[in-house]
C-alpha cells in the first residue's frame, strides 16, 4: 500500500513538472506580420529578388506580409508557402477602379487570379490613407471597393475580403479618453460611415495605420515608458468615464478606434493594424527618441503583448492582425526615418528574433522538462 501511495506521489510530481514545462498558450491571439515594398533603386531591387524576400520571410516564421505595392512577381514568390498576403491598390488607381468596373476586374485578373489559391491572399486594401495623401480621391473609395469586391465575387473568390486603410491621426482627432473618441467630421459621416456599412455587410475588417511613436511625439504629457509598454508605477492613464486603466499607448489608441466605430454602430467589426512600429533613426537631430534601443524595446514589448492574448480593455480578443513597418531598411537618405527589421544585406538590426518574441516555450523545451521530471522520479523511487 505504501508503494502504491509512493508511486502516486511520484506520478503527481511528474504531472506537476510536465505542466510547468508545457506552454500555457499554443496559438497566438493576434496574427503578427510585416510590411514590404519594393525598393526604388534598381541596384537594391536586383539584390532583393522576390524569391529571396519570400525565403527570408519563411525562415523568420512570419505568418503574414502586407505588400504595399502588390508586385505580381512578389505575389508569385509566396506561392505554396503558408504566408498570408495583404495586397494594396495604389491611391492613383482608386478613381479609375471606381469609375470603370472592367478596370477593377482587370486589376483582379492581374494581381489575384493567376496566383489564388496557390498564394494565400487574405485581404485587399483599396487605397492607403487616402484622406491624408489624396483627399480628392476620397469620394471614390467606396465605389472602388465595391467594384473590386464584386469582381472577386464574379470570379467566385469569396475568401478574400476588401477594405481600405485609414491613418489614426487623420481620422481620430482625440485619442484620450478612448471612450470619448469619434471620427473626425465631416469625413466621419461622408466617407467612413458608408465604408463601415460595407465592411459589416461583406464580413471585412477595419484597417488602421497606428503609430504610438507619433502620438508620443505629439503630446508632452505622454511619458516614454507608456509608449514603450514599460511597467512603471506612473505609466498608466485612467479613462474616468469607463473606469478603465490603460498601461500602454498602443491599447489606448486601439480602443479609441473601437469607440469611434461604436458611435456609428459598428463596434464589433474586426480591427487590423495595417502599420505600426518605432523608428530606429529620425528625420533630423530633434528626434532624440528615434533610436535603435527604443525601437527594439518597443518591438519586443509589442510582440510579447500581442502574443499574450490579453487584448485591450474594450476588446478582450484584441486586434485580429498587426503588421510591423517594415521588413527591410530603405536606402539611407537624409530626411527619412528608418524602420526596417533587417539591414539591406538581410541581416537583423536587432538582438531578438521575430519568431520568438513572447512566444510560448518550444516543443524541445517541453521534452527537456519531461526528461527532468522522469529523472527526478527515478531518483526518488
Amino acid at each position: 500500500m505504501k508503494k502504491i501511495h509512493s508511486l502516486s506521489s511520484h506520478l503527481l510530481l511528474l504531472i506537476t513538472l510536465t505542466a510547468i514545462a508545457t506552454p500555457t498558450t499554443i496559438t497566438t491571439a493576434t496574427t503578427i506580420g510585416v510590411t514590404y515594398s519594393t525598393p526604388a533603386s534598381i541596384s537594391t531591387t536586383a539584390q532583393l529578388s522576390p524569391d529571396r524576400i519570400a525565403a527570408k520571410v519563411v525562415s523568420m516564421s512570419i505568418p503574414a506580409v502586407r505588400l504595399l505595392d502588390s508586385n505580381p512577381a512578389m505575389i508569385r514568390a509566396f506561392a505554396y508557402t503558408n504566408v498570408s498576403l495583404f495586397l494594396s491598390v495604389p491611391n492613383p488607381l482608386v478613381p479609375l477602379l471606381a469609375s470603370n468596373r472592367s478596370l477593377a476586374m482587370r486589376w483582379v485578373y492581374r494581381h489575384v487570379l493567376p496566383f489564388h489559391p496557390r498564394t494565400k491572399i487574405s485581404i485587399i486594401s483599396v487605397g492607403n490613407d487616402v484622406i491624408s495623401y489624396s483627399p480628392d480621391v476620397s469620394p471614390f473609395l467606396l465605389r472602388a471597393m465595391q467594384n473590386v469586391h464584386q469582381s472577386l465575387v464574379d470570379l467566385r473568390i469569396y475568401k478574400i475580403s476588401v477594405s481600405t486603410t485609414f491613418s489614426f491621426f487623420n481620422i481620430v482627432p482625440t485619442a484620450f479618453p478612448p471612450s470619448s473618441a469619434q471620427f473626425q467630421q465631416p469625413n466621419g459621416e461622408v466617407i467612413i460611415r458608408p465604408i463601415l456599412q460595407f465592411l459589416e455587410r461583406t464580413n471585412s475588417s477595419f484597417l488602421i495605420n497606428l503609430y504610438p511613436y507619433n502620438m508620443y511625439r505629439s503630446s508632452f504629457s505622454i511619458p516614454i515608458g507608456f509608449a514603450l509598454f514599460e511597467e512603471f508605477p506612473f505609466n498608466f492613464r485612467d479613462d474616468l468615464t469607463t473606469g478603465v486603466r490603460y498601461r500602454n499607448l498602443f491599447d489606448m489608441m486601439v480602443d479609441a478606434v473601437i469607440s469611434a466605430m461604436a458611435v456609428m454602430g459598428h463596434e464589433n467589426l474586426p480591427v487590423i493594424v495595417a502599420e505600426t512600429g518605432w523608428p530606429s533613426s529620425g528625420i533630423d537631430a530633434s528626434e532624440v527618441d528615434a533610436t535603435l534601443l527604443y525601437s527594439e524595446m518597443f518591438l519586443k514589448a509589442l510582440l510579447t503583448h500581442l502574443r499574450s492574448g490579453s487584448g485591450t480593455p474594450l476588446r478582450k480578443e484584441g486586434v485580429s492582425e498587426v503588421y510591423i513597418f517594415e521588413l527591410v531598411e530603405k536606402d539611407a537618405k537624409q530626411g527619412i526615418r528608418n524602420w526596417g527589421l533587417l539591414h539591406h544585406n538581410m541581416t537583423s538590426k536587432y538582438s531578438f528574433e521575430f519568431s520568438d518574441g513572447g512566444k510560448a516555450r518550444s516543443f524541445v523545451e517541453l521534452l527537456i522538462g519531461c526528461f527532468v521530471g522522469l529523472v527526478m522520479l527515478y531518483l526518488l523511487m
Side-chain angles (χ1 to χ4, degrees):
M1 197 73 178
K2 253 185 186 181
K3 195 166 183 181
I4 293 173
H5 177 72
S6 176
L7 182 59
S8 298
S9 300
H10 293 153
L11 285 172
L12 181 61
L13 174 63
L14 176 59
I15 291 169
T16 303
L17 289 168
T18 304
I20 293 171
T22 304
T24 54
T25 55
I26 295 172
T27 58
T28 60
T30 300
T31 298
I32 307 169
V34 296
T35 70
Y36 180 78
S37 59
T38 306
S41 71
I42 297 173
S43 60
T44 307
T45 306
Q47 293 171 5
L48 303 181
S49 67
D51 288 338
R52 189 179 174 194
I53 291 294
K56 185 64 176 179
V57 167
V58 170
S59 72
M60 293 174 69
S61 300
I62 297 174
V65 174
R66 180 188 181 196
L67 297 180
L68 291 166
D69 50 14
S70 298
N71 180 355
M74 189 66 69
I75 300 171
R76 183 183 296 108
F78 283 98
Y80 304 109
T81 70
N82 251 344
V83 179
S84 176
L85 294 189
F86 171 156
L87 304 186
S88 306
V89 175
N91 291 348
L93 288 184
V94 171
L96 298 175
L97 270 57
S99 60
N100 192 324
R101 173 81 179 282
S102 64
L103 288 179
M105 179 64 84
R106 190 179 303 176
W107 191 94
V108 172
Y109 261 98
R110 175 171 165 76
H111 296 87
V112 177
L113 196 61
F115 316 110
H116 174 81
R118 294 180 300 278
T119 300
K120 290 174 59 178
I121 301 169
S122 62
I123 192 166
I124 298 170
S125 173
V126 178
N128 178 34
D129 191 14
V130 168
I131 287 177
S132 171
Y133 288 106
S134 310
D136 54 325
V137 171
S138 299
F140 299 97
L141 263 179
L142 181 58
R143 174 55 63 185
M145 292 165 63
Q146 291 169 334
N147 284 346
V148 172
H149 171 74
Q150 192 58 50
S151 298
L152 292 169
V153 170
D154 290 347
L155 294 169
R156 298 187 178 182
I157 299 174
Y158 304 111
K159 292 187 176 179
I160 300 175
S161 58
V162 176
S163 187
T164 188
T165 304
F166 294 102
S167 174
F168 183 91
F169 268 85
N170 296 319
I171 63 169
V172 182
T174 305
F176 189 82
S179 60
S180 300
Q182 296 187 38
F183 292 125
Q184 191 164 32
Q185 299 302 339
N187 288 330
E189 283 296 328
V190 176
I191 296 170
I192 299 177
R193 184 185 287 276
I195 286 175
L196 290 173
Q197 293 167 350
F198 169 84
L199 299 178
E200 192 88 61
R201 190 170 61 252
T202 59
N203 296 315
S204 192
S205 303
F206 189 80
L207 312 180
I208 188 81
N209 294 337
L210 187 151
Y211 287 95
Y213 173 76
N214 293 338
M215 176 66 73
Y216 161 73
R217 273 179 54 81
S218 70
S219 175
F220 291 110
S221 65
I222 299 176
I224 184 72
F226 187 62
L228 296 175
F229 296 86
E230 289 191 312
E231 292 287 341
F232 286 151
F234 300 106
N235 281 346
F236 65 84
R237 289 290 183 273
D238 289 331
D239 187 329
L240 299 179
T241 304
T242 57
V244 168
R245 173 161 291 184
Y246 287 92
R247 297 195 174 276
N248 66 77
L249 188 52
F250 180 86
D251 283 355
M252 194 180 84
M253 294 172 74
V254 169
D255 277 2
V257 173
I258 292 169
S259 292
M261 291 196 304
V263 170
M264 295 191 166
H266 298 279
E267 65 272 16
N268 295 321
L269 273 177
V271 174
I272 292 176
V273 176
E275 288 179 22
T276 193
W278 193 283
S280 56
S281 64
I283 294 174
D284 52 44
S286 69
E287 293 193 65
V288 295
D289 298 307
T291 67
L292 189 63
L293 173 62
Y294 284 159
S295 178
E296 179 163 343
M297 288 173 65
F298 174 83
L299 291 174
K300 286 177 71 173
L302 175 67
L303 294 178
T304 300
H305 177 62
L306 294 174
R307 285 168 172 154
S308 72
S310 58
T312 71
L314 294 187
R315 182 167 290 185
K316 295 306 176 187
E317 69 273 23
V319 292
S320 56
E321 300 173 30
V322 171
Y323 291 83
I324 308 296
F325 187 83
E326 58 187 331
L327 179 64
V328 182
E329 198 80 73
K330 291 287 190 295
D331 289 334
K333 293 178 183 175
Q334 200 68 17
I336 65 166
R337 295 187 178 110
N338 291 315
W339 303 82
L341 292 172
L342 305 174
H343 294 293
H344 295 140
N345 62 2
M346 304 287 277
T347 58
S348 178
K349 284 169 54 179
Y350 303 100
S351 62
F352 71 95
E353 294 295 328
F354 185 93
S355 58
D356 69 3
K359 261 192 174 179
R361 299 183 194 182
S362 67
F363 182 65
V364 173
E365 291 175 304
L366 171 60
L367 289 178
I368 292 171
C370 291
F371 176 74
V372 171
L374 287 169
V375 171
M376 291 184 68
L377 177 61
Y378 174 79
L379 292 173
L380 289 168
M381 289 184 69

